[in-house]
Amino acid sequence: QVQLVESGGGVVQPGRSLRLSCSASGFTFSSYGMHWVRQAPGKGLECVAAISYDGNNKYYTDSVKGRFTISRDNSKSTLYLQMNSLRADDTAVYYCAKRSPGGSYYYFDYWGQGTLVTVSS
Amino acid sequence: DIQMTQSPSTLSASVGDRVTITCRASQSISTWLAWYQQKPGKAPKILIYTASSLESGVPSRFSGSGSGTEFTLTISSLQPDDFATYYCQQYNSYPYTFGQGTKVEIK
């Protein structure tokens, strides 16, 4: 069965960096695009970054452009999110999510359990 | 960016009630709409995709309809396990955006 397991969250001071990982199993990781979605405490869901199956195409929401970098290692079935220059408003649970199978339009058919990032001095 | 607006924000209902949640898109998204259920402390779970297709394993009391800019999620007979927050999401174009959520509470 599909499993996505995030790690790397924690408490970090403003301006510092953190790297999140998402270990995937139960499917052919190298065939699917992947996303990072975050949820601030008590708030809704926000797509932060996306990466194509081969890593050649990436997307970032405006608020993280230039600070966050999404990447993947298909040999390790692992997705990453490098977060630099962290701000208090980056505090959230970060989920990795798998794209659905299909053509050009994708929803998220599997999600990890999430990892909490708290940016605070 | 495409804005997604859900209504109501909170809904109080009883077991057995028929419940309807509405989602409106700021521009046409054809049927590229998904509905997710989220329980406290858990990840969202896919219920409906392409506006009306039921994800495998999801009970048939859940249904979706709509196209263009107006969509609905209906629970035909609310069960105790259905008390949760529901989100719509458009995947017509980046950035994929979610509605603000509808919390279904026990009346």
Side-chain angles (χ1 to χ4, degrees):
Chain A
Q1 69 282 20
V2 172
Q3 277 200 309
L4 298 169
V5 180
E6 300 95 337
S7 59
V11 180
V12 61
Q13 292 179 329
R16 303 299 291 266
S17 299
L18 209 57
R19 187 176 86 155
L20 306 183
S21 300
C22 171
S23 178
S25 60
F27 66 103
T28 305
F29 180 74
S30 59
S31 296
Y32 292 93
M34 298 290 294
H35 290 245
W36 287 100
V37 180
R38 70 182 177 184
Q39 187 170 37
K43 302 296 184 182
L45 299 161
E46 178 186 30
C47 290
V48 173
I51 189 168
S52 59
Y53 69 98
D54 58 2
N56 287 339
N57 294 291
K58 302 177 183 181
Y59 161 82
Y60 301 95
T61 194
D62 284 347
S63 62
V64 308
K65 278 180 187 173
R67 300 189 299 123
F68 289 12
T69 302
I70 189 171
S71 62
R72 64 190 297 156
D73 185 336
N74 285 343
S75 68
K76 296 181 179 178
S77 296
T78 302
L79 175 73
Y80 302 101
L81 186 68
Q82 177 67 43
M83 304 185 295
N84 298 332
S85 303
L86 282 161
R87 312 187 306 217
D89 62 357
D90 294 319
T91 294
V93 174
Y94 285 74
Y95 297 100
C96 65
K98 171 188 168 292
R99 282 182 186 169
S100 60
S104 303
Y105 296 88
Y106 313 93
Y107 58 95
F108 304 141
D109 59 353
Y110 290 95
W111 299 62
Q113 85 287 353
T115 188
L116 176 62
V117 173
T118 302
V119 184
S120 174
S121 54
Chain B
D1 297 4
I2 298 175
Q3 306 303 316
M4 306 300 292
T5 305
Q6 286 181 236
S7 60
S9 296
T10 307
L11 188 161
S12 296
S14 302
V15 172
D17 284 354
R18 181 181 181 88
V19 166
T20 298
I21 299 168
T22 298
C23 178
R24 289 185 174 87
S26 60
Q27 64 189 73
S28 178
I29 58 170
S30 183
T31 56
W32 304 119
L33 184 103
W35 289 97
Y36 300 88
Q37 177 193 67
Q38 187 179 34
K39 295 182 179 179
K42 300 293 187 182
K45 171 191 167 186
I46 182 69
L47 299 175
I48 302 281
Y49 60 95
T50 53
S52 60
S53 297
L54 194 68
E55 178 75 358
S56 176
V58 174
S60 59
R61 62 181 180 271
F62 291 93
S63 64
S65 65
S67 66
T69 62
E70 192 111 355
F71 302 88
T72 59
L73 172 70
T74 300
I75 309 172
S76 60
S77 177
L78 199 64
Q79 298 302 301
D81 191 48
D82 302 337
F83 292 98
T85 299
Y86 294 84
Y87 293 93
C88 62
Q89 179 217 2
Q90 67 82 18
Y91 52 102
N92 179 78
S93 61
Y94 279 105
Y96 293 171
T97 45
F98 292 86
Q100 81 279 16
T102 295
K103 185 175 184 179
V104 177
E105 297 181 328
I106 300 172
K107 192 172 184 179

